[in-house]
PDB file of all heavy atoms in Angstrom:
ATOM      1  N   LYS A  14      93.015  -0.573 152.466  1.00 93.00           N
ATOM      2  CA  LYS A  14      93.093  -1.879 151.768  1.00 93.00           C
ATOM      3  C   LYS A  14      94.434  -2.170 151.185  1.00 93.00           C
ATOM      4  O   LYS A  14      94.834  -3.339 151.095  1.00 93.00           O
ATOM      5  CB  LYS A  14      92.045  -1.856 150.596  1.00 93.00           C
ATOM      6  CG  LYS A  14      92.194  -0.876 149.513  1.00 93.00           C
ATOM      7  CD  LYS A  14      91.108  -1.006 148.493  1.00 93.00           C
ATOM      8  CE  LYS A  14      91.360  -0.038 147.330  1.00 93.00           C
ATOM      9  NZ  LYS A  14      90.236  -0.096 146.329  1.00 93.00           N
ATOM     10  N   ASP A  15      95.204  -1.122 150.780  1.00 94.00           N
ATOM     11  CA  ASP A  15      96.521  -1.357 150.219  1.00 94.00           C
ATOM     12  C   ASP A  15      97.479  -1.915 151.277  1.00 94.00           C
ATOM     13  O   ASP A  15      98.324  -2.730 150.972  1.00 94.00           O
ATOM     14  CB  ASP A  15      97.026  -0.090 149.599  1.00 94.00           C
ATOM     15  CG  ASP A  15      96.254   0.379 148.423  1.00 94.00           C
ATOM     16  OD1 ASP A  15      95.693  -0.514 147.693  1.00 94.00           O
ATOM     17  OD2 ASP A  15      96.300   1.523 148.057  1.00 94.00           O
ATOM     18  N   VAL A  16      97.385  -1.361 152.498  1.00 95.00           N
ATOM     19  CA  VAL A  16      98.168  -1.867 153.561  1.00 95.00           C
ATOM     20  C   VAL A  16      97.850  -3.347 153.930  1.00 95.00           C
ATOM     21  O   VAL A  16      98.708  -4.131 154.072  1.00 95.00           O
ATOM     22  CB  VAL A  16      98.083  -0.918 154.846  1.00 95.00           C
ATOM     23  CG1 VAL A  16      98.908  -1.528 155.930  1.00 95.00           C
ATOM     24  CG2 VAL A  16      98.398   0.460 154.514  1.00 95.00           C
ATOM     25  N   LYS A  17      96.527  -3.573 153.963  1.00 94.00           N
ATOM     26  CA  LYS A  17      96.191  -4.918 154.193  1.00 94.00           C
ATOM     27  C   LYS A  17      96.626  -5.911 153.145  1.00 94.00           C
ATOM     28  O   LYS A  17      97.021  -7.074 153.499  1.00 94.00           O
ATOM     29  CB  LYS A  17      94.651  -5.017 154.398  1.00 94.00           C
ATOM     30  CG  LYS A  17      94.084  -4.402 155.650  1.00 94.00           C
ATOM     31  CD  LYS A  17      92.636  -4.683 155.879  1.00 94.00           C
ATOM     32  CE  LYS A  17      91.767  -3.866 154.991  1.00 94.00           C
ATOM     33  NZ  LYS A  17      90.318  -4.066 155.376  1.00 94.00           N
ATOM     34  N   GLN A  18      96.664  -5.463 151.920  1.00 95.00           N
ATOM     35  CA  GLN A  18      97.221  -6.283 150.850  1.00 95.00           C
ATOM     36  C   GLN A  18      98.653  -6.630 151.017  1.00 95.00           C
ATOM     37  O   GLN A  18      99.084  -7.721 150.893  1.00 95.00           O
ATOM     38  CB  GLN A  18      97.012  -5.590 149.502  1.00 95.00           C
ATOM     39  CG  GLN A  18      97.427  -6.335 148.289  1.00 95.00           C
ATOM     40  CD  GLN A  18      96.635  -7.608 148.125  1.00 95.00           C
ATOM     41  OE1 GLN A  18      95.359  -7.591 148.325  1.00 95.00           O
ATOM     42  NE2 GLN A  18      97.218  -8.677 147.645  1.00 95.00           N
ATOM     43  N   GLU A  19      99.437  -5.612 151.502  1.00 96.00           N
ATOM     44  CA  GLU A  19     100.866  -5.880 151.830  1.00 96.00           C
ATOM     45  C   GLU A  19     101.048  -6.869 152.917  1.00 96.00           C
ATOM     46  O   GLU A  19     101.896  -7.713 152.840  1.00 96.00           O
ATOM     47  CB  GLU A  19     101.536  -4.579 152.233  1.00 96.00           C
ATOM     48  CG  GLU A  19     101.861  -3.604 151.070  1.00 96.00           C
ATOM     49  CD  GLU A  19     102.645  -2.422 151.560  1.00 96.00           C
ATOM     50  OE1 GLU A  19     103.087  -2.408 152.747  1.00 96.00           O
ATOM     51  OE2 GLU A  19     102.857  -1.482 150.690  1.00 96.00           O
ATOM     52  N   LEU A  20     100.106  -6.820 153.921  1.00 96.00           N
ATOM     53  CA  LEU A  20     100.362  -7.792 155.041  1.00 96.00           C
ATOM     54  C   LEU A  20      99.920  -9.201 154.714  1.00 96.00           C
ATOM     55  O   LEU A  20     100.199 -10.098 155.500  1.00 96.00           O
ATOM     56  CB  LEU A  20      99.404  -7.201 156.187  1.00 96.00           C
ATOM     57  CG  LEU A  20      99.811  -5.895 156.811  1.00 96.00           C
ATOM     58  CD1 LEU A  20      98.879  -5.521 157.909  1.00 96.00           C
ATOM     59  CD2 LEU A  20     101.255  -6.002 157.322  1.00 96.00           C
ATOM     60  N   LYS A  21      99.358  -9.373 153.548  1.00 94.00           N
ATOM     61  CA  LYS A  21      98.944 -10.762 153.184  1.00 94.00           C
ATOM     62  C   LYS A  21     100.145 -11.654 152.848  1.00 94.00           C
ATOM     63  O   LYS A  21     100.069 -12.834 152.733  1.00 94.00           O
ATOM     64  CB  LYS A  21      98.012 -10.705 151.947  1.00 94.00           C
ATOM     65  CG  LYS A  21      96.610 -10.265 152.250  1.00 94.00           C
ATOM     66  CD  LYS A  21      95.719 -10.345 151.045  1.00 94.00           C
ATOM     67  CE  LYS A  21      94.284  -9.941 151.410  1.00 94.00           C
ATOM     68  NZ  LYS A  21      93.391  -9.988 150.251  1.00 94.00           N
ATOM     69  N   SER A  22     101.343 -10.977 152.742  1.00 93.00           N
ATOM     70  CA  SER A  22     102.642 -11.694 152.525  1.00 93.00           C
ATOM     71  C   SER A  22     103.025 -12.417 153.835  1.00 93.00           C
ATOM     72  O   SER A  22     103.943 -13.254 153.805  1.00 93.00           O
ATOM     73  CB  SER A  22     103.712 -10.818 152.032  1.00 93.00           C
ATOM     74  OG  SER A  22     104.034  -9.772 153.001  1.00 93.00           O
ATOM     75  N   LEU A  23     102.345 -12.045 154.936  1.00 96.00           N
ATOM     76  CA  LEU A  23     102.720 -12.634 156.223  1.00 96.00           C
ATOM     77  C   LEU A  23     101.819 -13.755 156.629  1.00 96.00           C
ATOM     78  O   LEU A  23     100.714 -13.804 156.128  1.00 96.00           O
ATOM     79  CB  LEU A  23     102.652 -11.475 157.314  1.00 96.00           C
ATOM     80  CG  LEU A  23     103.544 -10.290 157.132  1.00 96.00           C
ATOM     81  CD1 LEU A  23     103.215  -9.279 158.228  1.00 96.00           C
ATOM     82  CD2 LEU A  23     105.002 -10.611 157.142  1.00 96.00           C
TER      83      LEU A  23
END
Side-chain angles (χ1 to χ4, degrees):
K14 64 179 182 180
D15 292 336
V16 178
K17 288 191 285 188
Q18 184 63 38
E19 285 187 6
L20 295 179
K21 286 184 178 180
S22 64
L23 303 174

